[in-house]
Tab-separated table of all heavy atoms in Angstrom:
chain	number	residue	atom	x	y	z
Y	315	TYR	N	-11.213	-14.031	4.345
Y	315	TYR	CA	-11.044	-14.935	3.185
Y	315	TYR	C	-12.174	-15.971	3.164
Y	315	TYR	O	-12.829	-16.164	2.146
Y	315	TYR	CB	-9.676	-15.614	3.239
Y	315	TYR	CG	-9.540	-16.721	2.208
Y	315	TYR	CD1	-9.200	-16.427	0.895
Y	315	TYR	CD2	-9.808	-18.050	2.552
Y	315	TYR	CE1	-9.137	-17.433	-0.054
Y	315	TYR	CE2	-9.742	-19.046	1.616
Y	315	TYR	CZ	-9.378	-18.726	0.299
Y	315	TYR	OH	-9.326	-19.727	-0.646
Y	316	HIS	N	-12.366	-16.647	4.312
Y	316	HIS	CA	-13.363	-17.725	4.314
Y	316	HIS	C	-14.775	-17.162	4.127
Y	316	HIS	O	-15.583	-17.800	3.461
Y	316	HIS	CB	-13.219	-18.553	5.608
Y	316	HIS	CG	-11.927	-19.331	5.642
Y	316	HIS	ND1	-11.696	-20.394	4.781
Y	316	HIS	CD2	-10.809	-19.174	6.373
Y	316	HIS	CE1	-10.464	-20.879	5.010
Y	316	HIS	NE2	-9.901	-20.141	5.962
Y	363	PRO	N	2.655	-18.627	7.684
Y	363	PRO	CA	1.369	-19.106	8.201
Y	363	PRO	C	0.338	-19.385	7.088
Y	363	PRO	O	-0.345	-20.402	7.129
Y	363	PRO	CB	0.907	-17.980	9.113
Y	363	PRO	CG	2.130	-17.251	9.482
Y	363	PRO	CD	3.087	-17.384	8.316
Y	364	ILE	N	0.244	-18.478	6.115
Y	364	ILE	CA	-0.852	-18.585	5.148
Y	364	ILE	C	-0.623	-19.706	4.143
Y	364	ILE	O	-1.532	-20.415	3.769
Y	364	ILE	CB	-1.085	-17.229	4.444
Y	364	ILE	CG1	-1.657	-16.210	5.451
Y	364	ILE	CG2	-2.008	-17.364	3.236
Y	364	ILE	CD1	-1.758	-14.783	4.912
Y	365	TYR	N	0.646	-19.876	3.717
Y	365	TYR	CA	0.883	-20.854	2.645
Y	365	TYR	C	1.534	-22.155	3.123
Y	365	TYR	O	1.481	-23.162	2.396
Y	365	TYR	CB	1.745	-20.223	1.536
Y	365	TYR	CG	1.112	-19.018	0.901
Y	365	TYR	CD1	1.400	-17.708	1.348
Y	365	TYR	CD2	0.140	-19.154	-0.103
Y	365	TYR	CE1	0.781	-16.614	0.793
Y	365	TYR	CE2	-0.490	-18.048	-0.654
Y	365	TYR	CZ	-0.163	-16.776	-0.211
Y	365	TYR	OH	-0.791	-15.690	-0.756
Y	366	LEU	N	2.192	-22.130	4.309
Y	366	LEU	CA	2.963	-23.332	4.654
Y	366	LEU	C	2.460	-24.097	5.856
Y	366	LEU	O	2.337	-25.312	5.833
Y	366	LEU	CB	4.440	-22.926	4.919
Y	366	LEU	CG	5.161	-22.287	3.732
Y	366	LEU	CD1	6.630	-22.067	4.076
Y	366	LEU	CD2	5.068	-23.159	2.481
Y	390	LYS	N	-5.256	-21.812	13.347
Y	390	LYS	CA	-4.240	-22.274	12.415
Y	390	LYS	C	-4.894	-22.878	11.164
Y	390	LYS	O	-4.470	-22.635	10.032
Y	390	LYS	CB	-3.351	-23.339	13.047
Y	390	LYS	CG	-2.362	-22.797	14.050
Y	390	LYS	CD	-1.482	-23.957	14.545
Y	390	LYS	CE	-0.845	-23.596	15.865
Y	390	LYS	NZ	-0.261	-24.743	16.546
Y	391	THR	N	-5.949	-23.637	11.392
Y	391	THR	CA	-6.644	-24.268	10.261
Y	391	THR	C	-7.256	-23.191	9.354
Y	391	THR	O	-7.227	-23.306	8.124
Y	391	THR	CB	-7.776	-25.192	10.775
Y	391	THR	OG1	-7.175	-26.115	11.676
Y	391	THR	CG2	-8.436	-25.946	9.663
Y	392	ALA	N	-7.768	-22.125	9.981
Y	392	ALA	CA	-8.368	-21.046	9.165
Y	392	ALA	C	-7.292	-20.273	8.395
Y	392	ALA	O	-7.511	-19.850	7.270
Y	392	ALA	CB	-9.177	-20.108	10.065
Y	393	ILE	N	-6.143	-20.104	9.008
Y	393	ILE	CA	-5.083	-19.286	8.381
Y	393	ILE	C	-4.441	-20.058	7.202
Y	393	ILE	O	-4.231	-19.497	6.115
Y	393	ILE	CB	-4.010	-18.886	9.433
Y	393	ILE	CG1	-4.605	-17.903	10.441
Y	393	ILE	CG2	-2.785	-18.326	8.762
Y	393	ILE	CD1	-3.725	-17.716	11.685
Y	394	LEU	N	-4.178	-21.333	7.433
Y	394	LEU	CA	-3.470	-22.126	6.398
Y	394	LEU	C	-4.360	-22.266	5.171
Y	394	LEU	O	-5.496	-22.723	5.247
Y	394	LEU	CB	-3.127	-23.525	6.949
Y	394	LEU	CG	-2.374	-24.447	5.979
Y	394	LEU	CD1	-1.048	-23.840	5.536
Y	394	LEU	CD2	-2.156	-25.805	6.608
Y	395	GLY	N	-3.843	-21.840	4.039
Y	395	GLY	CA	-4.596	-21.947	2.782
Y	395	GLY	C	-5.560	-20.801	2.523
Y	395	GLY	O	-6.419	-20.923	1.645
Y	396	SER	N	-5.431	-19.708	3.290
Y	396	SER	CA	-6.414	-18.624	3.133
Y	396	SER	C	-6.027	-17.634	2.034
Y	396	SER	O	-6.032	-16.415	2.238
Y	396	SER	CB	-6.635	-17.913	4.462
Y	396	SER	OG	-5.404	-17.353	4.925
Y	397	ALA	N	-5.634	-18.145	0.887
Y	397	ALA	CA	-5.341	-17.281	-0.268
Y	397	ALA	C	-5.411	-18.127	-1.540
Y	397	ALA	O	-4.942	-19.258	-1.543
Y	397	ALA	CB	-3.966	-16.623	-0.150
Y	398	ASP	N	-5.998	-17.559	-2.571
Y	398	ASP	CA	-6.142	-18.259	-3.843
Y	398	ASP	C	-4.989	-17.981	-4.791
Y	398	ASP	O	-4.928	-18.508	-5.888
Y	398	ASP	CB	-7.450	-17.853	-4.539
Y	398	ASP	CG	-8.669	-18.212	-3.718
Y	398	ASP	OD1	-8.603	-19.267	-3.021
Y	398	ASP	OD2	-9.654	-17.466	-3.737
Side-chain angles (χ1 to χ4, degrees):
Y315 171 82
H316 292 292
I364 291 173
Y365 299 96
L366 299 185
K390 286 184 200 167
T391 305
I393 292 166
L394 181 60
S396 60
D398 298 326

